[in-house]
Amino acid sequence: MTDRSNRTKLAGNDLHIQVHHQQGTFSVEADLALPGRGVTALFGASGSGKTSLLRLIAGLDTPRQGRIRLGDEILVDSRRNINVAVHRRQLGIVFQEPRLFPHYRVRGNLAYGISKKDGAHFEKIVQLLGIDHLLDRFPATLSGGEARRVAIGRALLSEPRMLLLDEPLTGLDGPRKQELLDFILHLTHEIDIPIIYVSHDPKELAAIADNLVLLEKGRVVATGQLDDLLMRFDLTPYLGGFNAASILEAQVHDHDPDYHLTRLALADGQLLTVPEVDMPVDEPLRLRIPVRDVALALEPQPLSSYRNQLKAVIEDTAPQPDNPAAMELRLRIGEQTLRARVTRKSYDELGLAPDRTVTALVKAVAFARRP
Ligand SMILES: Nc1ncnc2c1ncn2[C@@H]1O[C@H](COP(=O)(O)OP(=O)(O)OP(=O)(O)O)[C@@H](O)[C@H]1O
């Protein structure tokens, strides 16, 4: 199973940001320490300042005041007049539009700016991004998703200390979005470079992020590990509202070919049955369970059509601020946490309360990530 603590600990490429920046009437204020491993999402509504913060990290804009440090290296210190130029920051930057050189073939675009020629590394990146068949094409002949894969390849081949991706899936249709997301997910497992990933889509976030910086009006509302923040009732309006979801880590337990089903094991040994998944036994995966798709009962329901019933203990509850008829609940399943939402009437009639053992009836399980 993915070692999340390992993927999120601070390392030699941790990024410390303490900035104040004004652009027109909009200001960005941030005081953050981001881990030097895994994927950190900058997340927030349109206009919350995600791209502005990314541009400050990249060096495309300079903060009026503040410091930015990557590992041991000071990139910006307004008091000491330090401002390392964009091309010296060793960051791979991929914008929403791929910005490829139109008169170079893909091969030429990928090779651009590489100082040391390492054929094996080139080959590895090309394979990882599935762009080997595109090497002799010109950018104008590429689809949107292909062009972005080439842009990501070019950024990686510059051997960056950190990869910055600004909404890389924007403008792609559903299947192309999923395809590029799968390539990026694959990369995150194969290449040990921290990624800062700008997004405004909670589903994308659940699939890709290990850590989260939640932005609103240029301010940091919350920051931390994604699965921790998804459990916070107060952040629900920012993280999908009615469509908020939990993330559970699981692994493939066994397959039932007769019924085309797969059983997945949670860390505490409880099993979930899902439509057949084409993955080997023991393979880890990340599940996204929408809050609205979890119902509660006091006992297991043997005669129910709910195949997925998990024994859980209520950890905490709170009324939902924007819906007086609903209660939010956090449930413990072994070491993992699952959120649920019931009407206040059901809550009272079932006598639900913290520490009570319940059965969580799970209606829908989506795969957020298949490594
Ligand atoms: N150069 C600029 N001068 C003045 N205001 C700017 C400038 N660039 C951005 N802004 C404003 O700063 C705010 C934040 O913009 P930013 O692009 O960082 O948001 P965002 O969260 O990335 O949004 P989106 O998801 O729509 O890309 C917006 O109100 C925008 O209009």
Side-chain angles (χ1 to χ4, degrees), residues 15-157:
L15 185 66
H16 291 257
I17 305 167
Q18 218 180 352
V19 288
H20 166 75
H21 182 59
Q22 190 79 33
Q23 50 193 20
T25 54
F26 186 84
S27 66
V28 179
E29 305 273 357
D31 188 349
L32 290 166
L34 306 183
R37 301 195 71 170
V39 180
T40 299
L42 304 184
F43 183 82
S46 181
S48 56
K50 307 180 291 292
T51 300
S52 304
L53 186 56
L54 197 77
R55 288 178 62 86
L56 292 171
I57 297 167
L60 295 163
D61 291 325
T62 306
R64 257 195 202 172
Q65 282 171 23
R67 279 163 58 92
I68 301 178
R69 176 166 67 74
L70 177 60
D72 293 335
E73 191 188 359
I74 309 280
L75 300 180
V76 174
D77 189 336
S78 55
R79 272 204 243 157
R80 293 157 64 195
N81 252 339
I82 298 173
N83 185 14
V84 175
V86 180
H87 63 281
R88 294 198 184 280
R89 292 193 183 193
Q90 284 182 276
L91 302 171
I93 310 167
V94 181
F95 300 95
Q96 283 180 25
E97 73 286 4
R99 300 192 185 181
L100 300 175
F101 300 115
H103 51 290
Y104 285 172
R105 292 179 197 273
V106 166
R107 188 187 300 280
N109 269 284
L110 289 172
Y112 188 85
I114 303 181
S115 47
K116 54 178 196 302
K117 302 271 181 268
D118 176 348
H121 186 58
F122 184 91
E123 197 50 38
K124 179 179 178 189
I125 300 291
V126 162
Q127 293 300 332
L128 272 177
L129 287 160
I131 49 179
D132 39 342
H133 61 298
L134 305 174
L135 290 174
D136 292 321
R137 303 253 296 265
F138 282 102
T141 70
L142 303 178
S143 72
E146 288 168 343
R148 283 178 211 191
R149 269 145 59 198
V150 174
I152 293 171
R154 183 172 64 180
L156 284 173
L157 283 164

Side-chain angles (χ1 to χ4, degrees), residues 295-314:
L296 296 182
L298 295 180
E299 301 290 340
Q301 305 289 300
L303 297 178
S304 151
S305 66
Y306 284 114
R307 252 193 317 266
N308 290 317
Q309 305 195 7
L310 299 172
K311 187 174 170 191
V313 177
I314 298 176

